[in-house]
Each structure stands twice: as C-alpha cells, then as structure tokens.
Amino acid sequence: DTEVTQTPKHLVMGMTNKKSLKCEQHMGHRAMYWYKQKAKKPPELMFVYSYEKLSINESVPSRFSPECPNSSLLNLHLHALQPEDSALYLCASSQDMIAGVQETQYFGPGTRLLVL
Amino acid sequence: AQSVTQLGSHVSVSEGALVLLRCNYSSSVPPYLFWYVQYPNQGLQLLLKYTSAATLVKGINGFEAEFKKSETSFHLTKPSAHMSDAAEYFCAVHRSNDYKLSFGAGTTVTVRA
C-alpha cells in the first residue's frame, strides 16, 4: 500500500482565517514533505521532515507553519494567507531522505486552497 | 546540481498512436530518475523509476522508459495511447547533494479520438 491521504480536499479561507491541512501515511515512512503547486507548474518544495524533525525549510513565509506530531502525521498550519497563496498543496512521503531507492516519494491527492 | 529538462510542453496524439515524452537529465553520476503522472485535479502518481538495475524500466498503465547514459535521456513511451492517458507528466531526478526531488517543467498530453 502506497497511500498518502490528505484532508480537506478543498479549502476556502479568508486572509484573516487560521486553518490547517492534514496529511497521513501508514507506510512506516520516516520522511514527509509539503509541496505547493500552481496551475500548469511542477510542485515546489516547501518543507521536509525527517524522523519527525524539520530538516528543510525552503525559505517559506512564516504564515505557513508545519508540524509533525508523530511519524505518520504531518500538518500545515495556515494563518494570514494572501490570495497568491492559492494553490494545490501536496503532501508526500518516502522511506527516508538519503540517496537511493528509499527516497522514492509517494504523493497524496492534495488540498486545493483558495484564499479570498 | 542535477536537473531534468522536458522537451515539449504539450504533446497531442491520436488514440492508438505512440506516446513519446522526452526527458534529458544533467548529472555527473548515475541519477535516480522518475516519471510521475498527474491527472486533472489529482495528486502525482508514480509511473516508474530508474534505479540502475535495468536500463529499460516498465511502469504502470503500459508505460515504459529507457535510460540512455550516452544521450543522458530517460524518455517515456507507450505504444498505444488511450483517452485516459490525457494528463500532465513530470520527469524528476533525485539530487544526491541535497536529497531534493527536482522536477521538469511538465508535459501536457492530450489524446484525440
């Protein structure tokens, strides 16, 4: 089973709202990722967690706050977003983040976010 | 840094015709290469991956890709296109220096009846 689940599927929020995106995997993977994808563009890496510790932050604005409560869960907390933050937010996981086949990333279906 | 280039942002094929999507990589060491497909309003699905075990890699849905070191290419093919193959296709390379997945710009495939 290579399933990564994400909730909600769609989210509409105002610029003053606080919301959270949730990602879950039960493959025993120890690396989890957040990506942002604009229409007709490839995904852009935002954050990487490895063994529940933040490993990579791609200079993402602080209005995005990731959290990894345990090895199966990854959250992305959103606050005071801008309309340009509207995008598809993808979660992915891999067995590990070292070089080799273990780094094959499996993606969830995404959360489509609209900021008004 | 390792990267991939996808030639052609849009490919249109007739149903039953060959699908050929081109991907070239830049790497001084054998890379880990991937093809992902993204259907409308969905996430990315792994089609296949090259891991140096074999140069011809078979994936899901009848797709395969051939790793050619001499041409630094990893082109994706399917002998006979189906309407359900209409999607966005991304070639990607796993960068060994910083462990990130570097994506190509993507190729949109449309299938004509």
Side-chain angles (χ1 to χ4, degrees):
Chain A
D1 182 16
T2 56
E3 188 178 26
V4 176
T5 59
Q6 290 187 244
T7 54
K9 196 169 183 177
H10 300 276
L11 179 62
V12 180
M13 61 186 291
M15 289 190 284
T16 58
N17 292 158
K18 283 185 181 181
K19 297 286 185 183
S20 297
L21 310 184
K22 181 180 173 182
C23 172
E24 196 165 3
Q25 57 88 14
H26 295 288
M27 296 177 278
H29 288 176
R30 303 315 300 265
M32 296 186 76
Y33 310 76
W34 280 116
Y35 287 86
K36 174 183 178 181
Q37 186 182 26
K38 291 286 214 178
K40 300 295 184 185
K41 297 289 186 184
E44 298 173 10
L45 184 64
M46 300 175 71
F47 303 103
V48 182
Y49 272 82
S50 177
Y51 290 83
E52 301 162 48
K53 287 186 173 18
L54 183 63
S55 181
I56 296 175
N57 177 343
E58 291 287 276
S59 303
V60 178
S62 59
R63 57 186 184 268
F64 295 91
S65 175
E67 179 197 19
C68 189
N70 59 56
S71 60
S72 301
L73 275 176
L74 186 66
N75 298 320
L76 186 62
H77 303 297
L78 315 172
H79 175 54
L81 294 193
Q82 303 297 310
E84 59 265 29
D85 296 322
S86 299
L88 181 68
Y89 287 84
L90 294 164
C91 175
S93 72
S94 64
Q95 188 170 341
D96 210 323
M97 64 175 287
I98 60 174
V101 295
Q102 295 168 319
E103 91 297 345
T104 301
Q105 292 184 28
Y106 297 93
F107 286 80
T111 294
R112 190 161 298 281
L113 174 68
L114 177 62
V115 182
L116 300 175
Chain B
Q2 293 155 320
S3 64
V4 291
T5 302
Q6 290 183 242
L7 299 175
S9 59
H10 186 245
V11 168
S12 179
V13 297
S14 297
E15 193 174 18
L18 171 73
V19 180
L20 170 61
L21 305 183
R22 300 177 188 274
C23 173
N24 287 88
Y25 67 91
S26 65
S27 176
S28 58
V29 297
Y32 291 98
L33 291 159
F34 306 83
W35 275 101
Y36 286 91
V37 60
Q38 186 172 32
Y39 298 104
N41 300 312
Q42 293 188 28
L44 274 69
Q45 182 179 4
L46 181 68
L47 270 178
L48 50 80
K49 59 187 177 186
Y50 170 72
T51 60
S52 74
T55 56
L56 184 62
V57 182
K58 293 190 184 299
I60 61 171
N61 302 339
F63 284 94
E64 62 181 35
E66 186 172 7
F67 176 77
K68 290 187 177 180
K69 186 177 179 181
S70 60
E71 299 177 9
T72 61
S73 67
F74 190 56
H75 301 333
L76 182 71
T77 59
K78 181 173 179 176
S80 177
H82 191 271
M83 298 298 287
S84 60
D85 294 325
E88 188 79 15
Y89 292 79
F90 293 100
C91 181
V93 63
H94 189 258
R95 302 185 333 191
S96 55
N97 58 330
D98 58 9
Y99 313 123
K100 296 177 187 176
L101 202 57
S102 178
F103 289 92
T107 299
T108 303
V109 171
T110 56
V111 182
R112 305 184 303 272

PDB file of all heavy atoms in Angstrom, chain A residues 46-78:
ATOM      1  N   MET A  46       8.365  22.867  -0.115  1.00  0.00           N
ATOM      2  CA  MET A  46       8.244  23.859   0.959  1.00  0.00           C
ATOM      3  C   MET A  46       9.034  23.397   2.193  1.00  0.00           C
ATOM      4  O   MET A  46       9.884  24.104   2.693  1.00  0.00           O
ATOM      5  CB  MET A  46       6.777  24.051   1.339  1.00  0.00           C
ATOM      6  CG  MET A  46       5.894  24.541   0.217  1.00  0.00           C
ATOM      7  SD  MET A  46       4.166  24.588   0.713  1.00  0.00           S
ATOM      8  CE  MET A  46       4.133  25.970   1.862  1.00  0.00           C
ATOM      9  N   PHE A  47       8.680  22.227   2.695  1.00  0.00           N
ATOM     10  CA  PHE A  47       9.279  21.711   3.926  1.00  0.00           C
ATOM     11  C   PHE A  47       9.555  20.213   3.790  1.00  0.00           C
ATOM     12  O   PHE A  47       8.846  19.516   3.078  1.00  0.00           O
ATOM     13  CB  PHE A  47       8.327  21.894   5.121  1.00  0.00           C
ATOM     14  CG  PHE A  47       7.888  23.308   5.389  1.00  0.00           C
ATOM     15  CD1 PHE A  47       6.621  23.724   5.013  1.00  0.00           C
ATOM     16  CD2 PHE A  47       8.736  24.203   6.031  1.00  0.00           C
ATOM     17  CE1 PHE A  47       6.198  25.015   5.261  1.00  0.00           C
ATOM     18  CE2 PHE A  47       8.321  25.496   6.290  1.00  0.00           C
ATOM     19  CZ  PHE A  47       7.047  25.902   5.906  1.00  0.00           C
ATOM     20  N   VAL A  48      10.561  19.773   4.553  1.00  0.00           N
ATOM     21  CA  VAL A  48      10.829  18.346   4.674  1.00  0.00           C
ATOM     22  C   VAL A  48      11.030  18.019   6.141  1.00  0.00           C
ATOM     23  O   VAL A  48      11.785  18.701   6.840  1.00  0.00           O
ATOM     24  CB  VAL A  48      12.095  17.904   3.897  1.00  0.00           C
ATOM     25  CG1 VAL A  48      12.279  16.392   4.021  1.00  0.00           C
ATOM     26  CG2 VAL A  48      12.010  18.309   2.442  1.00  0.00           C
ATOM     27  N   TYR A  49      10.362  16.977   6.586  1.00  0.00           N
ATOM     28  CA  TYR A  49      10.580  16.430   7.918  1.00  0.00           C
ATOM     29  C   TYR A  49      11.244  15.069   7.769  1.00  0.00           C
ATOM     30  O   TYR A  49      10.833  14.246   6.952  1.00  0.00           O
ATOM     31  CB  TYR A  49       9.254  16.261   8.664  1.00  0.00           C
ATOM     32  CG  TYR A  49       8.827  17.499   9.419  1.00  0.00           C
ATOM     33  CD1 TYR A  49       8.180  18.535   8.752  1.00  0.00           C
ATOM     34  CD2 TYR A  49       9.086  17.632  10.769  1.00  0.00           C
ATOM     35  CE1 TYR A  49       7.789  19.676   9.435  1.00  0.00           C
ATOM     36  CE2 TYR A  49       8.702  18.782  11.463  1.00  0.00           C
ATOM     37  CZ  TYR A  49       8.053  19.793  10.786  1.00  0.00           C
ATOM     38  OH  TYR A  49       7.679  20.931  11.460  1.00  0.00           O
ATOM     39  N   SER A  50      12.264  14.860   8.572  1.00  0.00           N
ATOM     40  CA  SER A  50      12.945  13.573   8.600  1.00  0.00           C
ATOM     41  C   SER A  50      12.988  13.109  10.048  1.00  0.00           C
ATOM     42  O   SER A  50      13.489  13.826  10.919  1.00  0.00           O
ATOM     43  CB  SER A  50      14.358  13.706   8.037  1.00  0.00           C
ATOM     44  OG  SER A  50      15.053  12.483   8.126  1.00  0.00           O
ATOM     45  N   TYR A  51      12.444  11.944  10.287  1.00  0.00           N
ATOM     46  CA  TYR A  51      12.362  11.418  11.660  1.00  0.00           C
ATOM     47  C   TYR A  51      11.747  12.456  12.604  1.00  0.00           C
ATOM     48  O   TYR A  51      12.260  12.700  13.704  1.00  0.00           O
ATOM     49  CB  TYR A  51      13.737  10.955  12.136  1.00  0.00           C
ATOM     50  CG  TYR A  51      14.204   9.709  11.434  1.00  0.00           C
ATOM     51  CD1 TYR A  51      14.822   9.774  10.186  1.00  0.00           C
ATOM     52  CD2 TYR A  51      14.003   8.447  11.982  1.00  0.00           C
ATOM     53  CE1 TYR A  51      15.221   8.628   9.517  1.00  0.00           C
ATOM     54  CE2 TYR A  51      14.411   7.292  11.320  1.00  0.00           C
ATOM     55  CZ  TYR A  51      15.008   7.398  10.098  1.00  0.00           C
ATOM     56  OH  TYR A  51      15.402   6.255   9.432  1.00  0.00           O
ATOM     57  N   GLU A  52      10.666  13.053  12.118  1.00  0.00           N
ATOM     58  CA  GLU A  52       9.833  13.978  12.895  1.00  0.00           C
ATOM     59  C   GLU A  52      10.513  15.292  13.222  1.00  0.00           C
ATOM     60  O   GLU A  52       9.970  16.089  13.997  1.00  0.00           O
ATOM     61  CB  GLU A  52       9.310  13.306  14.168  1.00  0.00           C
ATOM     62  CG  GLU A  52       8.485  12.063  13.871  1.00  0.00           C
ATOM     63  CD  GLU A  52       8.317  11.150  15.079  1.00  0.00           C
ATOM     64  OE1 GLU A  52       7.980  11.666  16.152  1.00  0.00           O
ATOM     65  OE2 GLU A  52       8.527   9.925  14.934  1.00  0.00           O
ATOM     66  N   LYS A  53      11.659  15.540  12.626  1.00  0.00           N
ATOM     67  CA  LYS A  53      12.347  16.814  12.830  1.00  0.00           C
ATOM     68  C   LYS A  53      12.373  17.587  11.506  1.00  0.00           C
ATOM     69  O   LYS A  53      12.601  16.992  10.438  1.00  0.00           O
ATOM     70  CB  LYS A  53      13.774  16.590  13.313  1.00  0.00           C
ATOM     71  CG  LYS A  53      13.881  16.116  14.749  1.00  0.00           C
ATOM     72  CD  LYS A  53      15.322  16.052  15.191  1.00  0.00           C
ATOM     73  CE  LYS A  53      15.546  15.759  16.655  1.00  0.00           C
ATOM     74  NZ  LYS A  53      14.493  15.188  17.421  1.00  0.00           N
ATOM     75  N   LEU A  54      12.179  18.895  11.599  1.00  0.00           N
ATOM     76  CA  LEU A  54      12.232  19.712  10.403  1.00  0.00           C
ATOM     77  C   LEU A  54      13.653  19.702   9.859  1.00  0.00           C
ATOM     78  O   LEU A  54      14.598  20.116  10.534  1.00  0.00           O
ATOM     79  CB  LEU A  54      11.785  21.138  10.722  1.00  0.00           C
ATOM     80  CG  LEU A  54      11.713  22.101   9.531  1.00  0.00           C
ATOM     81  CD1 LEU A  54      10.678  21.634   8.500  1.00  0.00           C
ATOM     82  CD2 LEU A  54      11.383  23.520   9.997  1.00  0.00           C
ATOM     83  N   SER A  55      13.777  19.247   8.633  1.00  0.00           N
ATOM     84  CA  SER A  55      15.085  19.091   8.021  1.00  0.00           C
ATOM     85  C   SER A  55      15.355  20.168   6.973  1.00  0.00           C
ATOM     86  O   SER A  55      16.484  20.627   6.832  1.00  0.00           O
ATOM     87  CB  SER A  55      15.173  17.700   7.382  1.00  0.00           C
ATOM     88  OG  SER A  55      16.426  17.493   6.806  1.00  0.00           O
ATOM     89  N   ILE A  56      14.326  20.526   6.225  1.00  0.00           N
ATOM     90  CA  ILE A  56      14.483  21.526   5.175  1.00  0.00           C
ATOM     91  C   ILE A  56      13.299  22.496   5.226  1.00  0.00           C
ATOM     92  O   ILE A  56      12.152  22.077   5.309  1.00  0.00           O
ATOM     93  CB  ILE A  56      14.554  20.872   3.767  1.00  0.00           C
ATOM     94  CG1 ILE A  56      15.790  19.997   3.644  1.00  0.00           C
ATOM     95  CG2 ILE A  56      14.540  21.931   2.667  1.00  0.00           C
ATOM     96  CD1 ILE A  56      15.873  19.214   2.330  1.00  0.00           C
ATOM     97  N   ASN A  57      13.614  23.768   5.202  1.00  0.00           N
ATOM     98  CA  ASN A  57      12.618  24.839   5.060  1.00  0.00           C
ATOM     99  C   ASN A  57      13.103  25.674   3.892  1.00  0.00           C
ATOM    100  O   ASN A  57      14.151  26.308   3.971  1.00  0.00           O
ATOM    101  CB  ASN A  57      12.537  25.673   6.341  1.00  0.00           C
ATOM    102  CG  ASN A  57      11.558  26.836   6.197  1.00  0.00           C
ATOM    103  OD1 ASN A  57      11.168  27.231   5.109  1.00  0.00           O
ATOM    104  ND2 ASN A  57      11.151  27.390   7.322  1.00  0.00           N
ATOM    105  N   GLU A  58      12.345  25.664   2.806  1.00  0.00           N
ATOM    106  CA  GLU A  58      12.751  26.364   1.596  1.00  0.00           C
ATOM    107  C   GLU A  58      12.409  27.848   1.653  1.00  0.00           C
ATOM    108  O   GLU A  58      11.794  28.394   0.731  1.00  0.00           O
ATOM    109  CB  GLU A  58      12.094  25.711   0.374  1.00  0.00           C
ATOM    110  CG  GLU A  58      12.610  24.325   0.066  1.00  0.00           C
ATOM    111  CD  GLU A  58      14.003  24.347  -0.512  1.00  0.00           C
ATOM    112  OE1 GLU A  58      14.156  24.533  -1.735  1.00  0.00           O
ATOM    113  OE2 GLU A  58      14.966  24.176   0.270  1.00  0.00           O
ATOM    114  N   SER A  59      12.800  28.490   2.774  1.00  0.00           N
ATOM    115  CA  SER A  59      12.548  29.934   2.931  1.00  0.00           C
ATOM    116  C   SER A  59      11.072  30.273   2.731  1.00  0.00           C
ATOM    117  O   SER A  59      10.727  31.254   2.067  1.00  0.00           O
ATOM    118  CB  SER A  59      13.399  30.746   1.943  1.00  0.00           C
ATOM    119  OG  SER A  59      14.759  30.464   2.107  1.00  0.00           O
ATOM    120  N   VAL A  60      10.240  29.465   3.330  1.00  0.00           N
ATOM    121  CA  VAL A  60       8.792  29.660   3.220  1.00  0.00           C
ATOM    122  C   VAL A  60       8.357  30.740   4.216  1.00  0.00           C
ATOM    123  O   VAL A  60       8.835  30.758   5.358  1.00  0.00           O
ATOM    124  CB  VAL A  60       8.058  28.329   3.515  1.00  0.00           C
ATOM    125  CG1 VAL A  60       6.540  28.529   3.443  1.00  0.00           C
ATOM    126  CG2 VAL A  60       8.509  27.249   2.548  1.00  0.00           C
ATOM    127  N   PRO A  61       7.449  31.638   3.819  1.00  0.00           N
ATOM    128  CA  PRO A  61       6.976  32.681   4.742  1.00  0.00           C
ATOM    129  C   PRO A  61       6.392  32.085   6.012  1.00  0.00           C
ATOM    130  O   PRO A  61       5.812  30.989   5.994  1.00  0.00           O
ATOM    131  CB  PRO A  61       5.902  33.404   3.926  1.00  0.00           C
ATOM    132  CG  PRO A  61       6.245  33.130   2.507  1.00  0.00           C
ATOM    133  CD  PRO A  61       6.873  31.772   2.477  1.00  0.00           C
ATOM    134  N   SER A  62       6.514  32.806   7.109  1.00  0.00           N
ATOM    135  CA  SER A  62       6.103  32.285   8.414  1.00  0.00           C
ATOM    136  C   SER A  62       4.593  32.117   8.545  1.00  0.00           C
ATOM    137  O   SER A  62       4.134  31.509   9.520  1.00  0.00           O
ATOM    138  CB  SER A  62       6.607  33.218   9.523  1.00  0.00           C
ATOM    139  OG  SER A  62       6.077  34.512   9.336  1.00  0.00           O
ATOM    140  N   ARG A  63       3.839  32.613   7.590  1.00  0.00           N
ATOM    141  CA  ARG A  63       2.389  32.385   7.635  1.00  0.00           C
ATOM    142  C   ARG A  63       2.048  30.907   7.353  1.00  0.00           C
ATOM    143  O   ARG A  63       0.921  30.482   7.557  1.00  0.00           O
ATOM    144  CB  ARG A  63       1.650  33.300   6.659  1.00  0.00           C
ATOM    145  CG  ARG A  63       2.086  33.208   5.209  1.00  0.00           C
ATOM    146  CD  ARG A  63       1.363  34.267   4.385  1.00  0.00           C
ATOM    147  NE  ARG A  63       1.651  34.177   2.969  1.00  0.00           N
ATOM    148  CZ  ARG A  63       2.626  34.840   2.379  1.00  0.00           C
ATOM    149  NH1 ARG A  63       3.413  35.634   3.089  1.00  0.00           N
ATOM    150  NH2 ARG A  63       2.822  34.706   1.070  1.00  0.00           N
ATOM    151  N   PHE A  64       3.039  30.153   6.912  1.00  0.00           N
ATOM    152  CA  PHE A  64       2.923  28.699   6.790  1.00  0.00           C
ATOM    153  C   PHE A  64       3.741  28.078   7.921  1.00  0.00           C
ATOM    154  O   PHE A  64       4.944  28.328   8.028  1.00  0.00           O
ATOM    155  CB  PHE A  64       3.480  28.209   5.447  1.00  0.00           C
ATOM    156  CG  PHE A  64       2.710  28.683   4.257  1.00  0.00           C
ATOM    157  CD1 PHE A  64       3.059  29.861   3.609  1.00  0.00           C
ATOM    158  CD2 PHE A  64       1.640  27.953   3.770  1.00  0.00           C
ATOM    159  CE1 PHE A  64       2.353  30.297   2.502  1.00  0.00           C
ATOM    160  CE2 PHE A  64       0.923  28.384   2.656  1.00  0.00           C
ATOM    161  CZ  PHE A  64       1.279  29.559   2.030  1.00  0.00           C
ATOM    162  N   SER A  65       3.108  27.244   8.724  1.00  0.00           N
ATOM    163  CA  SER A  65       3.797  26.656   9.864  1.00  0.00           C
ATOM    164  C   SER A  65       3.596  25.146   9.860  1.00  0.00           C
ATOM    165  O   SER A  65       2.492  24.659  10.085  1.00  0.00           O
ATOM    166  CB  SER A  65       3.250  27.260  11.162  1.00  0.00           C
ATOM    167  OG  SER A  65       3.823  26.627  12.278  1.00  0.00           O
ATOM    168  N   PRO A  66       4.645  24.371   9.589  1.00  0.00           N
ATOM    169  CA  PRO A  66       4.482  22.917   9.556  1.00  0.00           C
ATOM    170  C   PRO A  66       4.603  22.322  10.960  1.00  0.00           C
ATOM    171  O   PRO A  66       5.195  22.906  11.868  1.00  0.00           O
ATOM    172  CB  PRO A  66       5.657  22.472   8.683  1.00  0.00           C
ATOM    173  CG  PRO A  66       6.729  23.471   8.982  1.00  0.00           C
ATOM    174  CD  PRO A  66       6.025  24.774   9.268  1.00  0.00           C
ATOM    175  N   GLU A  67       4.055  21.128  11.070  1.00  0.00           N
ATOM    176  CA  GLU A  67       4.127  20.404  12.342  1.00  0.00           C
ATOM    177  C   GLU A  67       4.092  18.922  12.061  1.00  0.00           C
ATOM    178  O   GLU A  67       3.318  18.472  11.210  1.00  0.00           O
ATOM    179  CB  GLU A  67       2.937  20.784  13.230  1.00  0.00           C
ATOM    180  CG  GLU A  67       2.899  20.058  14.579  1.00  0.00           C
ATOM    181  CD  GLU A  67       1.534  20.129  15.237  1.00  0.00           C
ATOM    182  OE1 GLU A  67       0.528  20.404  14.543  1.00  0.00           O
ATOM    183  OE2 GLU A  67       1.471  19.887  16.450  1.00  0.00           O
ATOM    184  N   CYS A  68       4.909  18.165  12.780  1.00  0.00           N
ATOM    185  CA  CYS A  68       4.920  16.715  12.604  1.00  0.00           C
ATOM    186  C   CYS A  68       4.686  16.076  13.971  1.00  0.00           C
ATOM    187  O   CYS A  68       5.651  15.808  14.699  1.00  0.00           O
ATOM    188  CB  CYS A  68       6.243  16.269  12.000  1.00  0.00           C
ATOM    189  SG  CYS A  68       6.283  14.542  11.491  1.00  0.00           S
ATOM    190  N   PRO A  69       3.434  15.839  14.347  1.00  0.00           N
ATOM    191  CA  PRO A  69       3.123  15.326  15.687  1.00  0.00           C
ATOM    192  C   PRO A  69       3.673  13.919  15.942  1.00  0.00           C
ATOM    193  O   PRO A  69       4.019  13.591  17.075  1.00  0.00           O
ATOM    194  CB  PRO A  69       1.590  15.309  15.725  1.00  0.00           C
ATOM    195  CG  PRO A  69       1.159  16.161  14.584  1.00  0.00           C
ATOM    196  CD  PRO A  69       2.235  16.091  13.561  1.00  0.00           C
ATOM    197  N   ASN A  70       3.699  13.099  14.890  1.00  0.00           N
ATOM    198  CA  ASN A  70       4.283  11.767  15.008  1.00  0.00           C
ATOM    199  C   ASN A  70       4.721  11.300  13.628  1.00  0.00           C
ATOM    200  O   ASN A  70       4.552  12.020  12.643  1.00  0.00           O
ATOM    201  CB  ASN A  70       3.294  10.776  15.656  1.00  0.00           C
ATOM    202  CG  ASN A  70       1.998  10.641  14.876  1.00  0.00           C
ATOM    203  OD1 ASN A  70       2.022  10.325  13.682  1.00  0.00           O
ATOM    204  ND2 ASN A  70       0.870  10.884  15.526  1.00  0.00           N
ATOM    205  N   SER A  71       5.237  10.106  13.551  1.00  0.00           N
ATOM    206  CA  SER A  71       5.841   9.659  12.300  1.00  0.00           C
ATOM    207  C   SER A  71       4.843   9.441  11.177  1.00  0.00           C
ATOM    208  O   SER A  71       5.230   9.313  10.022  1.00  0.00           O
ATOM    209  CB  SER A  71       6.624   8.363  12.539  1.00  0.00           C
ATOM    210  OG  SER A  71       5.767   7.351  13.029  1.00  0.00           O
ATOM    211  N   SER A  72       3.552   9.425  11.501  1.00  0.00           N
ATOM    212  CA  SER A  72       2.535   9.170  10.475  1.00  0.00           C
ATOM    213  C   SER A  72       1.800  10.426  10.036  1.00  0.00           C
ATOM    214  O   SER A  72       1.099  10.402   9.024  1.00  0.00           O
ATOM    215  CB  SER A  72       1.486   8.167  10.986  1.00  0.00           C
ATOM    216  OG  SER A  72       2.078   6.954  11.335  1.00  0.00           O
ATOM    217  N   LEU A  73       1.934  11.479  10.803  1.00  0.00           N
ATOM    218  CA  LEU A  73       1.115  12.676  10.588  1.00  0.00           C
ATOM    219  C   LEU A  73       1.967  13.892  10.259  1.00  0.00           C
ATOM    220  O   LEU A  73       3.033  14.093  10.844  1.00  0.00           O
ATOM    221  CB  LEU A  73       0.306  12.983  11.835  1.00  0.00           C
ATOM    222  CG  LEU A  73      -1.028  12.273  12.040  1.00  0.00           C
ATOM    223  CD1 LEU A  73      -1.608  12.650  13.385  1.00  0.00           C
ATOM    224  CD2 LEU A  73      -2.004  12.595  10.927  1.00  0.00           C
ATOM    225  N   LEU A  74       1.444  14.696   9.358  1.00  0.00           N
ATOM    226  CA  LEU A  74       2.090  15.958   9.024  1.00  0.00           C
ATOM    227  C   LEU A  74       0.999  17.001   8.851  1.00  0.00           C
ATOM    228  O   LEU A  74       0.014  16.765   8.162  1.00  0.00           O
ATOM    229  CB  LEU A  74       2.890  15.819   7.721  1.00  0.00           C
ATOM    230  CG  LEU A  74       3.750  17.001   7.303  1.00  0.00           C
ATOM    231  CD1 LEU A  74       4.884  17.232   8.286  1.00  0.00           C
ATOM    232  CD2 LEU A  74       4.316  16.784   5.893  1.00  0.00           C
ATOM    233  N   ASN A  75       1.153  18.122   9.537  1.00  0.00           N
ATOM    234  CA  ASN A  75       0.179  19.204   9.427  1.00  0.00           C
ATOM    235  C   ASN A  75       0.835  20.432   8.812  1.00  0.00           C
ATOM    236  O   ASN A  75       2.049  20.621   8.915  1.00  0.00           O
ATOM    237  CB  ASN A  75      -0.384  19.583  10.796  1.00  0.00           C
ATOM    238  CG  ASN A  75      -1.122  18.433  11.466  1.00  0.00           C
ATOM    239  OD1 ASN A  75      -1.848  17.688  10.807  1.00  0.00           O
ATOM    240  ND2 ASN A  75      -0.935  18.288  12.770  1.00  0.00           N
ATOM    241  N   LEU A  76       0.013  21.260   8.211  1.00  0.00           N
ATOM    242  CA  LEU A  76       0.471  22.560   7.735  1.00  0.00           C
ATOM    243  C   LEU A  76      -0.532  23.594   8.226  1.00  0.00           C
ATOM    244  O   LEU A  76      -1.687  23.600   7.797  1.00  0.00           O
ATOM    245  CB  LEU A  76       0.577  22.588   6.209  1.00  0.00           C
ATOM    246  CG  LEU A  76       1.191  23.859   5.608  1.00  0.00           C
ATOM    247  CD1 LEU A  76       2.639  24.044   6.074  1.00  0.00           C
ATOM    248  CD2 LEU A  76       1.138  23.830   4.081  1.00  0.00           C
ATOM    249  N   HIS A  77      -0.088  24.423   9.159  1.00  0.00           N
ATOM    250  CA  HIS A  77      -0.956  25.438   9.734  1.00  0.00           C
ATOM    251  C   HIS A  77      -0.840  26.720   8.919  1.00  0.00           C
ATOM    252  O   HIS A  77       0.278  27.156   8.585  1.00  0.00           O
ATOM    253  CB  HIS A  77      -0.584  25.687  11.198  1.00  0.00           C
ATOM    254  CG  HIS A  77      -0.642  24.446  12.040  1.00  0.00           C
ATOM    255  ND1 HIS A  77      -1.812  23.747  12.249  1.00  0.00           N
ATOM    256  CD2 HIS A  77       0.342  23.771  12.711  1.00  0.00           C
ATOM    257  CE1 HIS A  77      -1.566  22.704  13.022  1.00  0.00           C
ATOM    258  NE2 HIS A  77      -0.261  22.689  13.307  1.00  0.00           N
ATOM    259  N   LEU A  78      -2.003  27.292   8.633  1.00  0.00           N
ATOM    260  CA  LEU A  78      -2.076  28.454   7.752  1.00  0.00           C
ATOM    261  C   LEU A  78      -2.653  29.640   8.512  1.00  0.00           C
ATOM    262  O   LEU A  78      -3.675  29.491   9.194  1.00  0.00           O
ATOM    263  CB  LEU A  78      -2.969  28.132   6.547  1.00  0.00           C
ATOM    264  CG  LEU A  78      -2.745  26.783   5.862  1.00  0.00           C
ATOM    265  CD1 LEU A  78      -3.827  26.541   4.816  1.00  0.00           C
ATOM    266  CD2 LEU A  78      -1.365  26.732   5.246  1.00  0.00           C
TER     267      LEU A  78
END
